[in-house]
Amino acid sequence: GIGRAVAVALSKAGARVTALSRTAADLESLKRECPGIEPLCLDLADWEAVEAAVGAAGPFELLVNNAAVAELQPFLQVTRSALQRSFDVNFGAVLHVSQIVARQMIAQGVQGAIVNVSSQASKRALRDHAVYCSTKSALDMLSKVMAMELGPHKIRVNTVNPTVVMTDMGRINWSDPQKSAAMINRIPLGKFAEVDDVVNSILFLLSDKSAMTTGSSLMIDGGFLVS
């Protein structure tokens, strides 16, 4: 939900948008909604295919890394496959796509911006989220190192760190009143984030209005971390 909404918002703002997903039906639906968007159907775990396709689709001035998986398991039951897939998508794919795009930016002399979609789970332990929390913590630190090394090339790198977001998936996963109440009670604003809350923050970090911001994590958590 977040990735689609970002793509639509950027397209409506006049950007030339390339949307990457491994789900062809989602890309076809997006293309019908915004005919100007260029779809790219890829599995981010396939490094060679990503290298070729993203390299050919560029160069880009802006990048949003949003793809992620959440395989929730109690710590004692974490499987190797869940560990590997989670780090491949939530961390490895971000590193790889960012490398490709940043090299293009540097070659073109572009003062670019990269936003990585992280989570409040990078900052606070959550039950059954051992792997997910760890991948998002790793993503936060990767983003800081990227900001340090890409800064001299005038490329900014930041993360947004939302709480639970009311995407279609979010509404399903948090439909149990008992489960949702336990989380909402820890959020001072007393509600979960809407998709637009995240999209607007991403657009801010991509824009010149945040020209002096890099290496930062923008919390979109309703105050979750202060409680």
Side-chain angles (χ1 to χ4, degrees), residues 146-208:
M146 288 169 59
M148 177 183 290
E149 296 192 13
L150 296 177
H153 299 286
K154 303 299 183 284
I155 299 170
R156 298 184 298 106
V157 185
N158 295 285
T159 68
V160 291
N161 296 60
T163 184
V164 174
V165 182
M166 288 292 94
T167 59
D168 291 343
M169 186 186 305
R171 294 184 195 282
I172 293 170
N173 290 341
W174 293 88
S175 59
D176 179 351
Q178 188 172 358
K179 178 182 177 183
S180 61
M183 178 65 80
I184 287 177
N185 287 340
R186 299 169 65 183
I187 300 175
L189 291 184
K191 60 181 180 178
F192 292 140
E194 297 295 334
V195 172
D196 281 350
D197 296 325
V198 184
V199 172
N200 290 335
S201 297
I202 292 172
L203 295 182
F204 166 69
L205 290 173
L206 290 175
S207 77
D208 291 340

Side-chain angles (χ1 to χ4, degrees), residues 79-117:
T79 62
R80 182 177 182 180
S81 62
L83 179 69
Q84 189 65 57
R85 174 159 173 72
S86 296
F87 270 95
D88 281 349
V89 176
N90 298 1
F91 181 83
V94 174
L95 185 150
H96 188 214
V97 173
S98 297
Q99 283 179 328
I100 299 167
V101 172
R103 287 173 184 146
Q104 294 173 343
M105 290 176 177
I106 293 168
Q108 297 287 324
V110 168
Q111 297 185 24
I114 298 173
V115 176
N116 297 326
V117 179

Side-chain angles (χ1 to χ4, degrees), residues 60-61 82 93 118 136 162 184 211:
F60 299 101
E61 297 179 18
S118 185
K136 292 301 188 178
I184 287 177

